[in-house]
Amino acid sequence: MRIAVCIKQVPDTEARLRVDTTGRWVNEEDLPFQINESDEHALEEALKIAEARGGEVVVVSLGPSRVKDALRKALAMGAHRAVHLCDEAFDGGDALATARALHAALTRDGQEAFDLVLTGSQSDDVGFGSTGSVLAGHLGWPHAWLVMGIEVAEDGGSARVVREMESGTNEIARVPLPAVLEVQSGINHPRYASLKGIMKAKKKPQELLKAADLGLDATVVGAAGSRIETVSVAFPDSGQGAEMIEGDAATAAATLVQKLQKEARVL
Amino acid sequence: MSKKVIVVLQQREGKLHRMSREAIAAGQQLAAKVDASVEAILLGSGIQELAKEVAGFGLTTVHVADHEGLGEYTPDAYVEVLEATLAAATPDFVVFPHTYQSVDYFPRLAQALDAGLLPEVTALVDGEGGELNFQRPVLGGKLVATVRVKGEGTVLLSVQSGAFSADEAQPGQAAVESLAFDAPSTSREILGVEAIGGDTIDLSKADVIVAVGRGVGGEDKLEASQQLAQILGADIGASRPVIDAGWLPRDRQIGSSGQTVAPKLYIAIGISGAIQHLVGMKGATTVVAINKDPNAPIFTVSDYGVVGDLHEILPPLVEAVREAKGE
Ligand SMILES: Cc1cc2nc3c(=O)[nH]c(=O)nc-3n(C[C@H](O)[C@H](O)[C@H](O)COP(=O)(O)OP(=O)(O)OC[C@H]3O[C@@H](n4cnc5c(N)ncnc54)[C@H](O)[C@@H]3O)c2cc1C
Ligand SMILES: Nc1ncnc2c1ncn2[C@@H]1O[C@H](COP(=O)(O)O)[C@@H](O)[C@H]1O
């Protein structure tokens, strides 16, 4: 089975964020980055399927040159090769523009014939929750969002897919393959890259693609090819907000307990 | 040509999804801003009664797609029917409730229609020169982005839970019309629905909840929080990453894919406050947050906040509560 996994590199969820001088995004200098959480789960799922059935796992990522670290980690985890869509023209895309570029990479020259495409459910930075579904639309394949289980049928013609729904239930469906399955965090426990994996990753094929390599006009991808544009970002307005309790740990603890007793009367 | 906003409503077994009313309110407010009319589309099977109920909202028309092929939700059937309908109607905006079901299919519908896509709107705001702008959370809710729409043609947008009040949905008198469409089809077979494992603990009735997040740092670092819970007589709850990592069992998860709680006291420890968590706990009476990041969104819904390292704050807090309880 040939499986493509779309992974995005995003700021570390623990990172302290600062708004940059344009006011439109965070300052990326000195910011630690990681593979998007649900994408790492998607990669683990792809590796498990390929291990069970044989096959190849190709990781695909669109983003600036820092993304090569994410791809190297994916290769170290066990992906067979990496495709990096790296071109200023791709920057700042909405879900439609990004999916357009990913689609072009996944279908280029007909040389990439995949049986399954896995994505995460939602990116931890822009969080559209949409890119995988739009990609599926371009491919003309079925899709499912918030996937919490994948069992590929023996004949490879379909998969039993568990999809998370609201209110603590899952839906189970048989989905014909090829399909785009958008994996939700928690489906599995992603492996760590072993030392051996890290060594091997250095020799695995990595391809760099620009918009022109994919026959894409710069006006249909990135910010230019998007229908939405960020005007500004800001920290959420604290509204009525919390009453902040000051002091060292001991003082703060004592003050808090007193307030919970006397003001809120919940102790 | 006059402008048009269409709200696509979600229902289940003839009952409106709670967020459908919020979507109507959002659609009406959006329409007021761009001087448009508002219509609604209701999809499902056996939904004529519900359509009459929806007709009591301030909409010009409720379009009903009542077909057995729409009884059980599948993205292909929903996209098929809506693609044909919306391509003919050419609305300026189509508003969806930001539910798991809508987000499963509406991006794909945008692709099929070659329309704009704007997920998870939390507010409509006035931008430069009076231009309509939209707000949506980014970076897990740690920041709010203000975005504008560019280019021509329909835009599909979804509105986040709680962003628009259902109470603000204006009543009125709408015409009910049946939509004409080809019988929808799907390539998938729905095999069933299962409850997510181990729903043995019902947190919905808990009086006090101590909830831990990723910031706690590991399964082996839960002890101080557990001690606090014990002396408070509280139940332990958690954010999703804690469950995903296996630090606590799934039935401790609070949020949109976990339990919905409404305790008198909710203590959030090392939880950032992403919307998917907040929807599960915003019914709490008194909320305390302990977080080292002063900008963490959890503080926007808290009554009391302590900024600092939870590992330093918890031990004296446990002691202070113990004393207060006279134990
Ligand atoms: C469809 C969907 C459904 C979801 N459903 C749910 C759900 O039901 N429930 C849920 O919770 N999430 C859910 N999520 C995930 C949600 O979006 C967030 O990713 C999640 O809530 C974040 O959990 P967290 O706050 O524990 O982790 P993080 O966002 O990583 O926050 C950790 C916090 O800990 C703080 N911290 C770190 N170290 C310390 C320290 N030493 N002292 C003090 N503070 C510290 C940090 O400042 C940070 O604010 C869902 C996501 C999606 C896409
Ligand atoms: N730049 C990108 N490169 C590779 N995959 C991406 C990119 N952006 C989004 N994706 C994939 O699409 C999923 C959903 O992203 P989003 O629609 O931004 O929430 C992510 O989890 C990734 O799997």
Side-chain angles (χ1 to χ4, degrees):
Chain A
M1 228 176 176
R2 297 184 75 196
I3 309 173
V5 187
C6 297
I7 62 171
K8 185 176 192 188
Q9 193 193 40
V10 297
D12 191 314
T13 47
E14 282 284 302
R16 228 351 141 60
L17 304 171
R18 282 174 302 150
V19 176
D20 72 10
T21 51
T22 70
R24 291 198 206 99
W25 193 237
V26 290
N27 190 337
E28 295 201 348
E29 241 172 82
D30 307 324
L31 202 59
F33 281 87
Q34 63 184 18
I35 298 179
N36 186 53
E37 190 176 355
S38 56
D39 302 1
E40 199 166 324
H41 287 274
L43 174 57
E44 174 63 32
E45 206 57 23
L47 294 172
K48 284 202 317 201
I49 296 169
E51 278 158 10
R53 305 180 57 93
E56 189 191 28
V57 174
V58 181
V59 281
V60 183
S61 187
L62 177 153
S65 62
R66 58 171 160 76
V67 166
K68 62 182 185 300
D69 298 335
L71 289 170
R72 199 176 304 124
K73 179 177 177 196
L75 293 172
M77 282 172 70
H80 299 91
R81 59 189 175 86
V83 178
H84 183 179
L85 280 68
C86 186
D87 190 328
E88 271 176 23
F90 293 136
D91 290 352
D94 63 7
L96 301 167
T98 298
R100 205 172 281 132
L102 290 172
H103 173 244
L106 292 179
T107 54
R108 111 194 97 109
D109 303 335
Q111 45 171 302
E112 300 277 33
F114 290 101
D115 304 297
L116 181 62
V117 172
L118 299 187
T119 70
S121 280
Q122 187 153 322
S123 60
D124 292 330
D125 55 356
V126 291
F128 295 129
S130 302
T131 305
S133 306
V134 175
L135 174 62
H138 283 297
L139 290 163
W141 296 357
H143 78 272
W145 190 59
L146 300 181
V147 168
M148 282 296 274
I150 303 169
E151 268 173 53
V152 177
E154 205 158 339
D155 67 3
S158 69
R160 180 183 182 277
V161 173
V162 179
R163 186 174 70 86
E164 192 169 286
M165 302 203 295
E166 275 145 42
S167 65
T169 51
N170 284 331
E171 179 197 77
I172 303 155
R174 180 149 299 286
V175 177
L177 297 185
V180 177
L181 301 179
E182 300 159 72
V183 169
Q184 166 72 318
S185 295
I187 186 176
N188 52 33
H189 294 288
R191 67 194 62 187
Y192 292 99
S194 65
L195 197 59
K196 207 170 117 206
I198 294 168
M199 298 309 292
K200 271 167 93 175
K202 294 188 177 133
K203 295 192 202 83
K204 290 180 176 172
Q206 288 199 56
E207 207 177 351
L208 212 69
L209 296 173
K210 294 199 170 294
D213 299 326
L214 297 170
L216 286 170
D217 194 283
T219 57
V220 303
V221 293
S226 297
R227 289 291 308 277
I228 57 176
E229 177 178 71
T230 302
V231 179
S232 64
V233 294
F235 288 103
D237 179 11
S238 58
Q240 309 85 10
E243 177 181 345
M244 290 303 189
I245 304 203
E246 311 287 337
D248 59 32
T251 314
T255 314
L256 175 62
V257 168
Q258 205 190 9
K259 289 194 179 281
L260 292 178
Q261 259 185 320
K262 306 261 158 65
E263 270 179 31
R265 295 173 191 280
V266 285
L267 278 191
Chain B
M1 230 169 68
S2 61
K3 291 194 167 181
K4 199 193 293 184
V5 172
I6 297 183
V7 185
V8 178
L9 304 174
Q10 183 174 329
Q11 60 81 36
R12 201 178 146 78
E13 285 162 2
K15 289 201 177 58
L16 272 193
H17 189 286
R18 154 186 84 77
M19 282 165 64
S20 289
R21 288 188 184 81
E22 299 178 4
I24 292 173
Q28 290 173 335
Q29 288 168 32
L30 174 58
K33 284 207 178 270
V34 298
D35 196 15
S37 63
V38 203
E39 304 175 8
I41 299 178
L42 184 65
L43 299 91
S45 175
I47 48 169
Q48 297 300 334
E49 279 307 307
L50 182 60
K52 285 185 209 151
E53 186 189 320
V54 175
F57 284 106
L59 306 160
T60 51
T61 314
V62 181
H63 302 278
V64 186
D66 192 346
H67 191 280
E68 56 180 14
L70 297 170
E72 205 164 41
Y73 163 77
T74 59
D76 0 14
Y78 270 52
V79 169
E80 213 175 292
V81 170
L82 286 170
E83 182 187 349
T85 305
L86 295 173
T90 62
D92 295 275
F93 292 99
V94 186
V95 179
F96 296 81
H98 192 77
T99 59
Y100 289 16
Q101 178 170 306
S102 301
V103 184
D104 185 60
Y105 76 86
F106 96 93
R108 181 148 190 170
L109 181 61
Q111 189 274 333
L113 288 165
D114 202 12
L117 175 60
L118 176 48
E120 212 180 341
V121 170
T122 52
L124 309 173
V125 292
D126 293 325
E128 205 163 305
E131 181 190 57
L132 172 63
N133 284 172
F134 304 82
Q135 289 188 330
R136 58 185 307 277
V138 291
L139 292 150
K142 293 179 185 84
L143 289 170
V144 179
T146 301
V147 303
R148 58 184 294 270
V149 165
K150 54 179 191 151
E152 294 297 310
T154 303
V155 173
L156 273 49
L157 64 94
S158 61
V159 290
Q160 183 53 274
S161 175
F164 296 84
S165 167
D167 297 340
E168 285 172 17
Q170 300 298 319
Q173 188 67 55
V176 177
E177 280 175 18
S178 287
L179 277 176
F181 52 91
D182 295 333
S185 60
T186 180
S187 66
R188 80 190 59 195
E189 183 192 353
I190 306 296
L191 302 173
V193 170
E194 63 178 19
I196 293 171
D199 232 2
T200 47
I201 289 145
D202 181 5
L203 296 176
S204 68
K205 294 186 184 64
D207 261 348
V208 184
I209 292 177
V210 170
V212 293
R214 175 151 46 199
V216 168
E219 192 176 359
D220 54 340
K221 300 201 179 86
L222 290 173
E223 202 182 312
S225 306
Q226 275 159 341
Q227 266 178 10
L228 180 64
Q230 203 194 353
I231 47 168
L232 282 169
D235 283 295
I236 285 270
S239 67
R240 183 171 183 128
V242 168
I243 309 299
D244 287 349
W247 303 347
L248 285 172
R250 184 77 44 204
D251 55 11
R252 296 288 172 177
Q253 185 179 317
I254 293 165
S256 65
S257 50
Q259 300 203 43
T260 303
V261 301
K264 290 203 197 77
L265 175 61
Y266 190 89
I267 305 184
I269 303 172
I271 293 178
S272 63
I275 180 72
Q276 295 87 359
H277 186 78
L278 301 187
V279 295
M281 50 66 73
K282 65 181 179 200
T285 317
T286 299
V287 177
V288 175
I290 303 173
N291 199 303
K292 67 175 184 190
D293 175 5
N295 291 317
I298 188 75
F299 289 126
T300 65
V301 299
S302 301
D303 300 283
Y304 302 104
V306 184
V307 176
D309 183 349
L310 63 95
H311 301 292
E312 280 171 28
I313 291 157
L314 283 178
L317 184 58
V318 169
E319 278 320 305
V321 174
R322 208 190 296 277
E323 250 170 61
K325 290 234 161 192
E327 281 169 25

